[in-house]
Amino acid sequence: MKLAFIGLGTMGGPMAGHLARAGHEVTVFNRTRAKADAWVAKYGGRAAPSPREAAQGAAVVLSCVGNDDDLRQVTLGDKGAFAGMQAGAVLVDHTTASAGVAVELYEAARARGLHFLDAPVSGGQSGAEQGMLTIMVGGDRPAFDIAKPAMMHYGRAVTLMGPAGSGQKTKMINQICVAGVIQGLAEGLAFTLRAGLDAKRVLDVISKGAATSWQMENRGRTMVDGKFDFGFAVDLMRKDLRIAMEEARANGADLPMTALIDQFYAKLQSRGGGRLDTSSLIKLLTDRK
Ligand code: NAP
């Protein structure tokens, strides 16, 4: 397939790489040109000077940028991807963004005879590198059927959740659940240290029971060791929790724990920890006050 990929960051770079390695003809765009050139040197393909030029002739255009405004910048306007796409082409966006912007871009695409899918991912940097992401998709079934084979190159589960915005709403639920699990794990481990027990032994035992989680299995030991450079950053988590809390204000859901944990992340940011990974919540419980 002729594909385009916009945004070669921590996630987008390896995702686009899987498409090239599978033999697709991939044209990339990255705002910082040097990253696009490095990507082409590694994987082949072509770098374009704008999202519009990258999207020309592609059956599926994929994007993974930062937030709502970044997404509008790469899709709308003269240099945006929509301006270069041919009728019937699909834009699949992997950014974690609001459900509102997903619906807005779905409508803008439809007005031009294009398709838009919101398709945020879970699985982090390692999931992107290993091609093992969970992808939750919102939009129309025909567009999903066109784009799914491309996503399968880096997704182990690619699921259509419902109409436009449903992928982003599912990702919000994911982040609400992740935040609560990390805080619970942080409190359990801080308690372990106070109780004078061997924390790694405790983890070995309780990870075989009802308390187990992905966070416990993958981050428990690194939290005990005080290592917080494992991908998903506090700054990005705050963006995601803000999006989830805004959606909750609109749909009436109560998120008392999420709001509290968001404040804990704000405290980490104010202490200069915005680039630490999300498991650094434990620092608020163990660092000297
Ligand atoms: P990243 O490393 O910061 O990469 C962001 C990419 O978007 C870069 O290529 C950046 O270009 C580009 N970009 C940002 N704003 C832009 C704009 N206005 N115009 C054009 N390009 C722009 O971020 P990431 O970690 O890959 O995350 C990308 C998205 O995936 C985010 O929404 C994040 O929440 C989500 N996500 C991340 C993870 C994770 O573990 N990192 C996990 C799941 C979901 P430059 O190179 O020029 O900066």
Side-chain angles (χ1 to χ4, degrees):
M1 253 199 284
K2 208 169 166 213
L3 304 173
F5 207 106
I6 297 164
L8 304 171
T10 305
M11 300 297 284
M15 289 157 86
H18 286 291
L19 299 173
R21 286 209 171 117
H24 296 293
E25 195 184 321
V26 185
T27 303
V28 294
F29 167 80
N30 196 72
R31 178 178 57 183
T32 306
R33 175 69 192 227
K35 255 191 229 172
D37 292 339
W39 187 94
V40 169
K42 186 168 179 187
Y43 298 105
R46 214 166 52 81
S50 69
R52 176 172 58 78
E53 285 156 284
Q56 275 161 3
V60 180
V61 179
L62 306 111
S63 59
C64 190
V65 293
N67 57 33
D68 286 19
D69 286 339
D70 301 328
L71 180 55
R72 288 190 186 96
Q73 275 175 24
V74 298
T75 51
L76 303 173
D78 282 356
K79 300 208 158 144
F82 287 170
M85 287 165 69
Q86 63 202 15
V90 184
L91 197 142
V92 178
D93 177 52
H94 293 305
T95 310
T96 302
S98 68
V101 79
V103 173
E104 176 189 324
L105 294 178
Y106 170 87
E107 298 292 355
R110 217 161 64 141
R112 293 169 176 267
L114 307 171
H115 303 285
F116 179 86
L117 299 171
D118 49 295
V121 304
S122 172
Q125 183 176 355
S126 66
E129 286 168 358
Q130 290 161 27
M132 296 286 278
L133 293 169
T134 296
I135 309 180
M136 32 219 132
V137 186
D140 297 333
R141 170 70 63 182
F144 178 76
D145 290 341
I146 294 169
K148 186 179 176 189
M151 291 188 267
M152 286 305 291
H153 292 299
Y154 45 76
R156 71 170 161 187
V158 182
T159 311
L160 183 63
M161 303 303 299
S166 303
Q168 295 297 355
K169 289 177 187 170
T170 307
K171 174 72 182 183
M172 293 172 208
I173 298 161
N174 187 79
Q175 298 305 72
I176 291 165
C177 295
V178 165
V181 168
I182 297 174
Q183 179 63 16
L185 180 56
E187 291 185 16
L189 288 174
F191 180 100
T192 304
L193 299 173
R194 292 272 174 188
L197 288 164
D198 178 335
K200 291 184 181 173
R201 209 155 164 230
V202 168
L203 285 170
D204 278 347
V205 172
I206 68 172
S207 65
K208 295 185 182 74
T212 195
S213 64
W214 186 98
Q215 297 291 340
M216 183 178 284
E217 287 177 4
N218 292 278
R219 290 288 173 274
R221 286 169 170 267
T222 51
M223 286 165 83
V224 172
D225 290 337
K227 292 183 181 157
F228 305 111
D229 55 351
F230 293 94
F232 197 67
V234 167
D235 288 342
L236 283 177
M237 187 57 147
R238 282 217 77 206
K239 166 190 64 104
D240 293 3
L241 295 181
R242 179 180 50 74
I243 290 169
M245 289 189 291
E246 279 170 11
E247 188 68 29
R249 268 193 288 281
N251 71 18
D254 273 337
L255 300 178
M257 280 289 292
T258 306
L260 184 60
I261 296 166
D262 180 57
Q263 288 311 302
F264 295 156
Y265 280 125
K267 200 177 230 181
L268 283 167
Q269 279 179 318
S270 72
R271 293 182 185 181
R275 298 302 300 168
L276 299 178
D277 78 57
T278 46
S279 71
S280 57
L281 277 178
I282 194 172
K283 281 170 73 62
L284 297 178
L285 305 168
T286 55
D287 283 5
R288 279 177 179 279
K289 303 277 182 308

